[in-house]
Every structure is written in structure tokens, then in C-alpha cells.
Amino acid sequence: MSSELEKMERGEWYDANNDAQLLEMRIKAKDLCFDLDHTRPGDVEKRKDILTQLLGYYPENLEIISPFMCDYGSRIQLGKNIFINSSCYFMDGGSITIGDYVFVGPYCGFYTANHPLDYQKRNQGLEIALPIRVGSNVWFGAHVSVMPGVTIGDDCVIGAGSVVTKDIPPHSLAYGNPCRVVKQWDENQKSF
């Protein structure tokens, strides 16, 4: 019989709210986020140590502005040269993979969890966690929400306040609620 963690990692319905192992993992991550948020920005080595404990590695040239929150930490894979502005939340029950040279504006959320429409199942604590994938050279404006299972291609700009519910192809400017592509360009173009 599979554990709830194994079900979560496979993208199956799992008990997110009542499983002791998952609760313990989330408390550990939240404690580390608390420690990070209460460490001076200038204490670079201490912040690196906390992030290494949280993520299980330290990405090259990472900058995270506190406060920052995630559920597990270990389900986040960040490339190099990543900037994450203040008050971002990574709900990483499903994996969150982000390429290189990505800029995340303040108050952005990456939400991998989805819940049953049937309230009886939802009240049992069931959810499913679907991965989020972000390519390289992507910029997220402030207050962007990325929903479960979404893939955003390379070289995209996602406008402030967008709610991304569907995949965004590479080389796109997209914004709105729901987020939609408003312009695309050839990968050889350097600007709009």
C-alpha cells in the first residue's frame, strides 16, 4: 500500500490534511521559512544555510526577498540566476521547476494543489498535486497566480495580476484573468 507522500509524488489523490508524515514535513519547511524570514538580509551565509536545508541544495546566484513561504521546499527545483521578490508562496505538493534567469515579482503564487469538486471528498482532506514547469528567461509581474499543472515556456512575460490556468507557449507576452497570450515573437527577436 502506498504512503500519502508516494501518492502525492505520483500525482494521485492523497490525504494532504491528516497524514502525520506530510504534516511533519510541512512544519519543518514552515519553521525553515520562518527562520529565513527572520534572518537579516545581510547575513548571506546564514540565509544560504537555511535555504540549503529547505531546498536540499543551493541554486547558483539565487536571491529570495523575505517573506517567503513554501509547503515542503524539497519539491522546488530552481535554475541559476533566479530572483524571487517578497511575499511569494510556492505550494509545492507537486513539483515546481523553474529554469534559469527567471524574475518573480512580489506576491506571486505557484499553486500545485487541486481539490475535489465533491465536498464530501474535499472534507476528507483529499487533494491532488500537479507539477508546474517554468522555462528560462521568464518574468512574472506582481500578484501572478500560476495554477496546478501549468507549463510556461521559455522567454515569456506574464503580466501583473494574471491568473495562469493554461499552458503558455514560449516567446509569449501573456496577461489577464484568465491569462491569455496577447503577443508572440520569433525566438531570434530581441524585443517586441
Side-chain angles (χ1 to χ4, degrees):
M1 187 147 137
S2 297
S3 71
E4 299 307 304
L5 173 61
E6 290 168 332
K7 292 178 194 174
M8 179 183 80
E9 290 173 338
R10 288 194 305 258
E12 299 172 1
W13 291 104
Y14 69 101
D15 182 350
N17 296 318
N18 305 300
D19 182 71
Q21 180 183 20
L22 293 178
L23 290 171
E24 182 180 324
M25 290 171 67
R26 286 198 303 271
I27 290 294
K28 180 181 176 187
K30 289 181 188 332
D31 284 347
L32 288 166
C33 288
F34 180 90
D35 292 345
L36 180 70
D37 293 343
H38 291 84
T39 301
R40 292 178 173 274
D43 196 344
V44 175
E45 290 308 313
K46 185 174 180 185
R47 291 179 68 83
K48 277 185 178 180
D49 180 59
I50 294 167
L51 283 164
T52 300
Q53 291 177 63
L54 181 63
L55 301 173
Y57 65 102
Y58 189 78
E60 181 183 337
N61 198 27
L62 170 66
E63 184 173 0
I64 294 180
I65 307 297
S66 293
F68 173 79
M69 181 59 67
C70 65
D71 285 349
Y72 300 97
S74 60
R75 314 265 302 136
I76 300 169
Q77 287 297 313
L78 301 174
K80 64 182 179 184
N81 300 305
I82 304 291
F83 176 80
I84 300 171
N85 213 319
S86 65
S87 302
C88 290
Y89 177 40
F90 284 50
M91 182 186 284
D92 62 324
S95 62
I96 299 173
T97 304
I98 296 180
D100 300 333
Y101 295 94
V102 173
F103 298 89
V104 179
Y107 296 97
C108 287
F110 295 83
Y111 305 102
T112 65
N114 204 349
H115 303 279
L117 295 177
D118 177 342
Y119 76 89
Q120 293 171 327
K121 291 180 182 175
R122 190 170 54 246
N123 289 348
Q124 293 172 13
L126 292 179
E127 70 179 45
I128 193 168
L130 304 174
I132 292 173
R133 294 176 188 89
V134 176
S136 295
N137 305 306
V138 176
W139 171 29
F140 293 91
H143 293 272
V144 171
S145 295
V146 181
M147 297 295 109
V150 166
T151 295
I152 297 171
D154 291 341
D155 308 321
C156 286
V157 176
I158 308 298
S162 295
V163 178
V164 188
T165 60
K166 305 248 188 259
D167 293 352
I168 304 294
H171 319 296
S172 297
L173 169 64
Y175 53 81
N177 182 3
C179 187
R180 61 182 172 65
V181 174
V182 295
K183 183 167 181 124
Q184 286 190 283
W185 58 91
D186 182 278
E187 67 181 277
N188 297 318
Q189 285 179 270
K190 299 301 179 201
S191 66
F192 296 116

